[in-house]
Amino acid sequence: MVRNRERDSGPRAAQAPSVMREMNQRVLLDCLFAEGPATRPALVLSTGLSLPTVIAALGDLQSVGLVRETGTSVVGHGRPAVTFEANADAGAVIAVDIGHEWIRLVAADLAGGRLAARTIRNSATTARGLVELTGEAVAAVRAEADIREDKTVHTVIGSPGVYDETRGRISYAANLPGWQRLGIAEALGAQVGSHITIDNDANLAAIGEHTYGAVRSVDNFVYITIGTGVGVGLFLNGALYRGAHGAAGEAGYLPLGEALVPMRPDRPPRGMLEEAVAADAIVAQAQHLGMPDPVSAAGVFAAAREGDTRAMKVVEREAKQLAQLVATVLALFDPDVVVFGGGVGQNIDLMEHDLVTSLRLITPMSTRLIRGTLGQEAVVRGAVATGLDIARQRAFEARAPSAPAR
């Protein structure tokens, strides 16, 4: 028995130096990506690693092109110290936001630097057409950024609905015709030509606002996006909350609003709240009040800002409907902040008075209500942040310097 234990522990002991070496390399690489160029002494302070360990790990990372020297800096009266940086050109990320009306794309290097961006109208009328249009848009932004296909480490696609990786299917995407069919994810991967992640657009927007936007220092917030559809991103205790099946935040299906919406067998189900507060509901209410065609949700808010009484009534109704959603969010999640985004949600400043007034009538709870700072780029910026985490890991694994043979 003793011999067996010794034999079992042998490989673990032999692997330990290699594992530790890789861990140290990744710590240094992450530090350089997060904090920018640094000298060896600065990296010792930032990472807590010893100077010999930093020197060895930097040498390993340089040898495979993940780290490079950027020059020297003078500290005190000593000799100039060499400065190192993560090699942002070691790979690239493509971020895609597929919406009902628009497709937005950003190409970024591994440091998050923007290489190219593009926005095109979603002119597709079928799921197959949308897949092809997305592939063409990705190829175009890649060409604009001068990125070879094999240099694209990862692509992140934001979409309405919930992607079930085990079934390869997107559910609850009622506003994109045919998007719930089997095979869409596989077809997207084939068109894009790289490893892909598909995620809910509201979740990505929440990540975007937490990484780059209005709630960078907030660990408990709820992101509400209202546009063609309604979605909620739940960022709780410092992390995105998805629920047991990834559907947490599909708030469009909450039984809130003025009337129940029956299930329709001829089309994907659209939730009661979404029917009550999404952009087309605003248009319908404006038409009901006699606002002249053509009417759009953006036009209604613009008219309300100019003092149009009919538009102001539509905005007041929208605010009262949203108060039900906010009251639900406050009771269930008790967030520090509620962040609004999307084409409708960006007008929270115009709705805030009526929303807060309605809230006081239905709940004693309250919190800060703010507008996201990333605007229409919230989803695609969240896709960049998500893609960088994955792409840096993939780039490291692909080039990871192994420990030298002994």
Side-chain angles (χ1 to χ4, degrees), residues 56-281:
L58 285 174
D60 292 336
L61 292 168
Q62 277 186 280
S63 69
V64 294
L66 290 173
V67 165
R68 58 194 177 190
E69 294 183 11
T70 61
T72 58
S73 62
V74 178
V75 180
H77 300 289
R79 293 185 301 172
V82 177
T83 303
F84 298 86
E85 69 174 1
N87 182 9
D89 300 326
V93 168
I94 306 292
V96 186
D97 170 20
I98 299 177
H100 179 72
E101 295 185 7
W102 302 97
I103 301 175
R104 295 182 171 85
L105 305 96
V106 168
D109 61 29
L110 290 189
R114 183 170 297 204
L115 303 175
R118 179 168 291 233
T119 299
I120 64 170
R121 182 171 289 279
N122 182 356
S123 58
T125 57
T126 64
R128 176 179 293 182
L130 182 52
V131 168
E132 293 174 354
L133 183 62
T134 301
E136 292 167 3
V138 168
V141 80
R142 185 186 288 133
E144 184 179 338
D146 194 24
I147 304 169
R148 299 191 316 271
E149 184 173 324
D150 62 354
K151 194 179 176 184
T152 305
V153 182
H154 204 75
T155 298
V156 177
I157 298 173
S159 163
V162 177
Y163 175 54
D164 183 345
E165 189 172 359
T166 60
R167 299 171 62 203
R169 186 170 188 170
I170 300 170
S171 301
Y172 315 125
N175 294 311
L176 293 178
W179 208 236
Q180 302 189 96
R181 295 175 182 168
L182 287 171
I184 294 296
E186 184 178 3
L188 279 170
Q191 282 286 331
V192 167
S194 71
H195 295 277
I196 69 169
T197 293
I198 301 174
D199 205 348
N200 174 263
D201 50 5
N203 285 344
L204 290 176
I207 292 171
E209 289 289 353
H210 185 259
T211 307
Y212 305 111
V215 280
R216 279 177 282 186
S217 60
V218 181
D219 284 341
N220 286 279
F221 70 90
V222 172
Y223 181 92
I224 298 176
T225 177
I226 312 125
T228 305
V230 177
V232 168
L234 303 170
F235 202 91
L236 308 174
N237 296 326
L240 196 69
Y241 178 74
R242 299 177 181 276
H245 306 98
E250 288 296 314
Y253 294 101
L254 284 170
L256 304 174
E258 296 172 337
L260 289 172
V261 178
M263 300 282 283
R264 284 169 282 190
D266 60 327
R267 58 180 290 190
R270 196 162 185 249
M272 179 175 165
L273 179 66
E274 192 162 86
E275 290 277 13
V277 303
D280 54 357

Side-chain angles (χ1 to χ4, degrees), residues 327-379:
T328 302
V329 163
L330 295 182
L332 293 177
F333 305 110
D334 186 27
D336 288 322
V337 186
V338 174
V339 186
F340 287 86
V344 173
Q346 285 291 298
N347 294 282
I348 187 59
D349 62 312
L350 197 59
M351 297 184 283
E352 185 172 7
H353 174 76
D354 291 320
L355 196 160
V356 170
T357 299
S358 297
L359 269 179
R360 288 172 179 163
L361 296 175
I362 59 178
T363 179
M365 306 177 77
S366 65
T367 193
R368 284 195 300 142
L369 309 177
I370 66 173
R371 178 172 60 186
T373 59
L374 300 183
Q376 296 177 333
E377 284 207 336
V379 176

